[in-house]
Structures are given as structure tokens and as C-alpha cells.
Amino acid sequence: MQPVEASDYWELARLSQPAVSPTGDRVAYVRTTAERDGDTGQETASVHVAPVGGGGSRRFTAADGTDAEPAWSPTGDRLAFVSTRGDAGGGRPQLWVVPVDGGEATRITDVIGGVSNIAWGPDGDRVAFLQAVRPAERAEELDREHDGEYERDTPDPRVIDRQMYRGHTSYRDGARRHVYVADLAAGRVDRVTAGVAECGGPAWGDDGTLYYPIRRGLDADDRLEWAIEAATPADSADSTVVTTVEGMGPTLAVHGSRVAYTTTPADDPTLTQTAVEVFDRDTGATDRLTDGVDRTVAERTAGHAPEWGPDGEHLYVCTPDEGGYVLRRVAADTGDDRVVLAGDRHVHAFSVSTDAVAVVQSEWDHPGEVVAATPMGGEEVTLTRANRDYLDERAVSKPESVWIDGPAGDIQGWVLTPPEFDPEETYPLVVNVHGGPHLMWSAAGTMWHEFQTLAARGYVVFWCNPRGSTGYGQEWLRGVERDWGAVTLADVMAGVAAVTDRDYVDADNAFITGGSFGGFMTGWAVGHTDAFAGAVAQRGVYDLTGFYGTTDAYALVEGEFDTDPVRDNAFLWAQSPAAHTDAVDTPTLLVHSEADYRTPANTAELFYRLLKKHGVDTRLVRYPGEGHDLSRSGDPGHVVDRIERIAAWFDGYSDHHEAAPVLETDRPGAAADE
């Protein structure tokens, strides 16, 4: 058996976005692979379809560009999707529709702002979607049909007049997301919303009413209040405010007169679990449906959105739950909930239909497959083996679930040993801290490849869910209020103590890493303990004031610390890893993406300079063009390089590896002047 390696990323297929057909007999999903071009490459994605009754899946769309968001028409005779294929749209995703029983895909739109969040109307003749457009483009009708000549320019100078002026990997440059409807029969695109506003994903009612969340006004970015509007007919500019909702960005599901939506309180958005409310237009009543579930509801940003069952009697949601991401269904009349798909699985996304539910899930022995079951979770069957040939040839280790006695309660974690583990030998340790801070790690998930690679390199890998993690209730989630660093480090170090107490773990050769909030914690850890022989801080936040001024998630500072740089800058500085670099001796590698607008690189630059000034072994690695999701996506060459650099940094300070520290080598790309 071969070990798992960083370069295996080129061979791994990743599955996502399942969609069950209306009859429940087929599941469409997206299969993403990496294509190599020398040392770099690109990701391609196509839609595949698998029969629920078995028989294997087949590719449904051509491997040309990037396909996403497969959606069945109400009768199941057509499949809509968005794609960057072809020359239309200048590489921006457009809406396509293909007959299920044979025939070529037809491009429906050619709009300047691209297409996302598609939703079929109940008549099967219309598809609603979001498009991000500038006012001048709307004036020129380019949001309805591209003229083939216009190209978006980069403003010079760039004049900014909104709070959320950039996000993901690009500047918005005046573009705002609005709702549109593509009329397939008439061959036209109709506007639904207008003006200075920002919209969320649309959802249809059974009667053809179109619903969408919207924030209006120039300063709407700075408010966490949304109106849910209804447009009837769907292409009408006249709309009615149905109800209002608070939260970062609600996702909707509609059945009959009932509109379900995700919500968090505007005055406490990050330290409160996401809930689902249902507003009934007929009665005017609002019910908080998930009050009996002491778990946060995973939202669309995590690959999930609430879905009604076909009969409207239950709402399906995904929640983190003590190390697993599980699928629940909640009774609409009583709020009683039942876990439909439970256990150690990590449900990444789900879809519900008449006779079946489908999920993409990962488990300890594979990075992701499509699984179908009955709406109650019975007759579970795996429909794909996307990485069968790869996994048949790889030595994959099974993580051990552990519970640790922590300062404020039991902490769940996992210990992954090398494939040819010998309990009589000793091994170095890698501790990995998750992002968030309000996320939850499982035995699998998106870090499957990286953890297995580190284990194959001879490390014991440990990860856990300290206070602040989701999946363990509201009290646990709120445990890091106004104190990210000390609280989390106390829990992580309790886990480190428990793991290094094992005879086969070498406590003198322990290393730490993590991304996003995990990068923050890596920076905090090296300033508050000498327990680690080396560290790699990835896409982290190292100065809360600098982060507040540059991120699209500045509300995180306001919510977590109940202050801002004007009210208490000294407090935020004391809570920042950069304030404690004078205590750092641990060799620390910094990894960051240059187009990361969630945790912009400026605080990493500050942390790096302070480490250099203090004489710490350090290096800053920057990835051009990449964003915050580099550990999960991006140029495959960068994804591989990042894992290899992490391992090489640890190897150089490990007594168990015959490797010199990276700073002493002339490894290609090691420094800008080499």
C-alpha cells in the first residue's frame, strides 16, 4: 500500500451539491477534479447523475469549464446548472438547461454579472437567480443581455462608498446582488429588484410567488436586519414585505404559505447558535422551529440550507453534533426533531425529495461520496465510489476518538497515528486547531487529505473541538466570549497533555498549526507557551484592530469582543497575537493568500515583521491570486505546495526526520532572492 502524499490532490475527486430528482429516483451532483499544467493547474467541475436504485453514475455535462448548482425542473425532465463553459459571458457563470433524456445543453443567459443561486419556478418555465451588477451596467441593459463587446474595467481610482466593498477574492466595485428571473419560453431575463440594495438567494412558493431576503440603503452592509419580500408575479418590480429577519444572511425555504428562514440576533450574531423560524403568511404567526435543538443550524455558506419535505410536514436541517455533521428533520407543527442520518459522518450538503434524501458525506476512510436514504434515514446506500481506485492503493489510518478532561468540561478530539504505527516506537506530534472560532471538526471533513498526509509522514496528528466550537450546545459555543486566546489555548493544551502522556508520543517534538482562527491560535500559542518545537500559522488574524479595518467580517470583532478599536483599542491589542511576539521563541512559518479578503494579509505582515525583529526563525509565504479557502480549493499546485511546505517546516525541527530546517536549505522558491 502506498502512503498518502500531498501530491495526491491531483488524483482526488471531490463531490458536492447533491440534488435529488422530483421523483426521487436520481441524484445529480458536482464532481470536481484538478488538471495539471506543469507545476500549476486548474480545477474543473462537471455534473454527474447517479440512479438511486444502483447501476453507477455517469457524467451528465461536458468537462468544459466549471459547472455548479445542478437543479431539476419540477417535472424532472430538464436539469439546470450554471457554468463558465464556452466564450459567452467572459468566463462568468451563466445559466444552462439540458434535457434529461438526451440532447445538448442550451445556454439561457449571457449576462454581465454572472449567475448564482438558481431556483426553478413551479411552472417549469422560469428560473430565478442572483446577479451582481453595477448601476451603469443596469442602465445599459447588460444585466439582461450582454452586447458581446463590453468588458468590465478596474476603476481607477477606486472610489469606495460601502462597508462591504470587497469579499472572497475580488473588489465589488459598485456591483450589488439583485434578483432576476429567466423566462425560458419567452427567451428573456426580467429584473425583480432594483435600487441600492443587496439580495440573498431567491425561493419560490407553490403559487408562483417569488421570495427573497433584501437589505436596502447605502449603509445596508452595516445592518443585520433583512426584509423578506414577495413578488407576484415573479417578474414584477412591485413587491410586498412579508416579514423581517435578523442575521448575517438568511437562507429561505418556502412551502405553501409558510416561509422558513435561518436567523441569528442582530445584537449577538456570532455567539448565538443559528436557528430556523417559520412565518405563516395566512396566520401571521412566527414559530421558532428549532428551539428544542441545542445545536446551531448549518447555513448555505457551509454547503447547507433548510429544505422542506415534499409534504410540508417536516423541515430538514443539518447540524454539527459532537463530532459529526448530521441530518435532522423537524416537525413543522410541534418542533419535535429526529436525527435522520446520524453517527460519525460529516454531511457536507443534502437534498430532499419525495421518496429519498441524498447527501454528500465524508467519513474517516474516504473524503466524500454521495449517499441516498429514505426520508426517515432507512435503506441507506452509497451511490458513488469517486476515489475507489485511489483508495484501494493507499494506506489510510483510522482516527481514534478521545474525550479529554478540560478546564470547563470534556473536550472531544481525535488521534491519528501513522499507517505503520508501532506502539513501541515514539513519534512527533502535530496539533491542528480549527477555524471559526465557531466551527466543528469531525473525524473526516475537508482536512482528510492533509491529516492523512501528515500521518503518512510519520506524525501523530491531534485535533479537537475546544470551547467556542459548534456541536456541543450554546454554552460551549459562547465559552470564548471576549477571550479567544487564553480560553482556547487552555483547552487545546489539555488535549496536548493527554496525548503526550502516551508513551509513543514525543512531547519534545510537538508542533502546532491551524488556519483562519486556527492561525490566530497558532500565533497566540507561540506567544504563550514553549511547548512546541515549530509552528505554521495559516491565513490567520494577528492584530484585531488591523483585521477590523480590512476584513469583510468586521462584525466578528464587534460580536465576539463587544467593542471596537475606538471604544477599547488597548483591550483588542492585548487580545492580539502580535502583542506578544516578544515572548516567541518557536520557529514559526506564516502562510497567507494575497487575495484573501476575509483575513487580509496586512496583519500577517505585521506579525512577520515583529517576529523578524525579535530574531525568531520565520518566513512568510504568500500565494498570489488565492483567497481564504486555499486549504480547500484554489490552484491545485498551490494546494499541494502549501501542504508540502507545512510538512517540510515541521520536518526541519523534528528529531525524528533527517531534514535540515527550511531556512538552512536552498529549496526552490524558499526566498524571493534565491
Side-chain angles (χ1 to χ4, degrees):
M1 300 290 282
Q2 301 177 37
V4 176
E5 298 179 345
S7 59
D8 291 352
Y9 188 81
W10 294 104
E11 301 182 47
L12 289 168
R14 282 147 284 137
L15 310 187
S16 62
Q17 303 176 354
V20 188
S21 65
T23 53
D25 61 336
R26 287 175 286 190
V27 180
Y29 62 94
V30 174
R31 186 178 191 269
T32 303
T33 55
E35 290 189 356
R36 190 191 295 267
D37 183 10
D39 293 332
T40 62
Q42 63 181 1
E43 293 184 336
T44 61
S46 55
V47 177
H48 291 236
V49 173
V52 172
S57 62
R58 66 185 179 94
R59 193 175 70 195
F60 202 74
T61 61
D64 178 15
T66 298
D67 299 338
E69 298 188 37
W72 299 91
S73 65
T75 57
D77 63 326
R78 288 160 294 163
L79 195 66
F81 60 99
V82 300
S83 180
T84 61
R85 64 179 57 195
D87 297 328
R92 290 173 289 274
Q94 302 295 332
L95 174 65
W96 294 70
V97 174
V98 60
V100 171
D101 294 330
E104 295 296 323
T106 300
R107 180 175 53 80
I108 305 300
T109 66
D110 185 5
V111 295
I112 192 62
V115 172
S116 68
N117 297 81
I118 63 174
W120 279 96
D123 57 9
D125 291 332
R126 294 173 295 177
V127 178
F129 62 90
L130 289 182
Q131 179 186 181
V133 292
R134 302 174 182 175
E137 294 166 348
R138 290 171 69 92
E140 295 294 326
E141 300 284 323
L142 296 170
D143 59 332
R144 301 177 66 181
E145 184 176 6
H146 190 226
D147 65 6
E149 297 181 0
Y150 173 82
E151 292 293 336
R152 278 185 169 172
D153 61 348
T154 299
D156 182 10
R158 180 173 266 131
V159 179
I160 295 167
D161 63 358
R162 59 184 298 190
Q163 294 274 8
M164 300 291 195
Y165 59 89
R166 63 183 184 183
H168 192 50
T169 59
S170 62
Y171 282 77
R172 294 191 168 97
D173 291 331
R176 294 177 182 267
R177 295 189 305 169
H178 282 277
V179 178
Y180 292 79
V181 172
D183 189 316
L184 306 187
R188 70 173 189 269
V189 172
D190 296 312
R191 297 168 177 153
V192 180
T193 61
V196 180
E198 189 77 23
C199 299
W204 294 85
D206 302 334
D207 61 353
T209 300
L210 185 64
Y211 298 84
Y212 48 86
I214 185 170
R215 297 189 298 192
R216 298 188 184 277
L218 186 63
D219 295 326
D221 294 336
D222 204 31
R223 299 197 306 269
L224 298 182
E225 294 86 19
W226 299 73
I228 296 179
E229 293 187 352
T232 308
D235 58 0
S236 172
D238 296 328
S239 60
T240 301
V241 175
V242 173
T243 188
T244 58
V245 56
E246 296 178 342
M248 296 288 190
T251 55
L252 310 184
V254 183
H255 191 281
S257 64
R258 292 170 297 173
V259 182
Y261 49 85
T262 55
T263 178
T264 53
D267 60 352
D268 194 14
T270 63
L271 290 165
T272 302
Q273 297 180 127
T274 301
V276 174
E277 291 182 348
V278 176
F279 176 78
D280 193 322
R281 294 191 71 184
D282 287 344
T283 66
T286 300
D287 294 320
R288 199 172 181 86
L289 200 60
T290 55
D291 265 354
V293 182
D294 189 19
R295 297 289 184 267
T296 196
V297 173
E299 299 183 83
R300 188 179 300 276
T301 53
H304 316 85
E307 285 193 28
W308 286 102
D311 57 8
E313 295 181 359
H314 296 88
L315 194 72
Y316 287 77
V317 298
C318 182
T319 69
D321 188 35
E322 294 191 355
Y325 280 82
V326 303
L327 184 65
R328 299 176 184 265
R329 72 178 207 163
V330 186
D333 55 349
T334 65
D336 294 338
D337 78 286
R338 168 177 175 161
V339 177
V340 174
L341 295 175
D344 294 333
R345 74 185 77 220
H346 186 127
V347 172
H348 297 274
F350 69 91
S351 176
V352 182
S353 187
T354 303
D355 298 315
V357 297
V359 301
V360 170
Q361 68 179 39
S362 59
E363 296 176 272
W364 75 266
D365 57 347
H366 67 84
E369 301 290 358
V370 177
V371 173
T374 66
M376 291 291 287
E379 302 177 25
E380 187 176 331
V381 58
T382 300
L383 304 184
T384 60
R385 286 199 65 190
N387 296 292
R388 174 178 54 192
D389 294 341
Y390 168 84
L391 292 169
D392 285 345
E393 297 176 352
R394 295 302 188 281
V396 176
S397 297
K398 182 177 182 179
E400 172 195 355
S401 177
V402 295
W403 286 88
I404 296 150
D405 184 13
D410 291 341
I411 303 165
Q412 187 178 22
W414 291 265
V415 177
L416 183 69
T417 55
E420 298 181 358
F421 173 68
D422 182 351
E424 300 300 319
E425 299 291 333
T426 57
Y427 300 87
L429 173 70
V430 170
V431 178
N432 211 310
V433 185
H434 70 59
H438 308 303
L439 295 177
M440 185 196 75
W441 263 344
S442 66
T446 56
M447 303 301 289
W448 183 92
H449 175 220
E450 184 172 328
F451 288 179
Q452 291 289 339
T453 298
L454 290 170
R457 299 270 298 229
Y459 293 93
V460 172
V461 184
F462 170 71
W463 63 99
C464 67
N465 290 317
R467 276 172 287 176
S469 303
T470 58
Y472 304 89
Q474 175 63 41
E475 183 179 353
W476 194 258
L477 178 143
R478 203 175 189 91
V480 294
E481 184 175 9
R482 289 180 62 83
D483 193 351
W484 280 1
V487 169
T488 307
L489 185 60
D491 286 2
V492 170
M493 294 309 296
V496 172
V499 174
T500 54
D501 195 43
R502 301 183 179 199
D503 292 340
Y504 60 81
V505 177
D506 184 352
D508 293 329
N509 279 259
F511 301 88
I512 187 169
T513 187
S516 194
F517 172 72
F520 170 98
M521 279 310 306
T522 300
W524 184 271
V526 297
H528 290 81
T529 177
D530 293 326
F532 300 106
V536 180
Q538 309 168 56
R539 63 189 189 281
V541 175
Y542 309 102
D543 169 29
L544 291 171
T545 295
F547 172 66
Y548 182 86
T550 55
T551 181
D552 61 352
Y554 61 91
L556 190 62
V557 174
E558 297 171 342
E560 299 288 305
F561 298 96
D562 191 28
T563 191
D564 59 42
V566 173
R567 287 183 286 164
D568 201 343
N569 190 48
F571 171 74
L572 291 178
W573 176 246
Q575 295 293 318
S576 301
H580 307 281
T581 50
D582 59 344
V584 178
D585 294 315
T586 306
T588 303
L589 174 68
L590 299 178
V591 176
H592 224 94
S593 297
E594 294 191 349
D596 183 347
Y597 298 140
R598 174 54 50 86
T599 59
N602 61 305
T603 74
E605 293 169 333
L606 173 65
F607 195 61
Y608 170 72
R609 175 158 293 161
L610 294 175
L611 291 177
K612 290 287 284 186
K613 288 282 189 179
H614 188 55
V616 177
D617 281 4
T618 186
R619 177 168 284 157
L620 173 60
V621 177
R622 301 168 63 111
Y623 289 97
E626 299 293 357
H628 195 60
D629 291 339
L630 182 58
S631 64
R632 300 173 287 276
S633 62
D635 183 321
H638 286 161
V639 175
V640 173
D641 183 84
R642 172 190 152 273
I643 297 176
E644 289 180 337
R645 286 183 185 275
I646 292 170
W649 188 265
F650 293 156
D651 290 353
Y653 297 98
S654 167
D655 295 334
H656 300 262
H657 292 77
E658 296 181 358
V662 169
L663 296 179
E664 299 176 8
T665 69
D666 57 355
R667 183 170 180 262
D673 58 353
E674 292 178 353

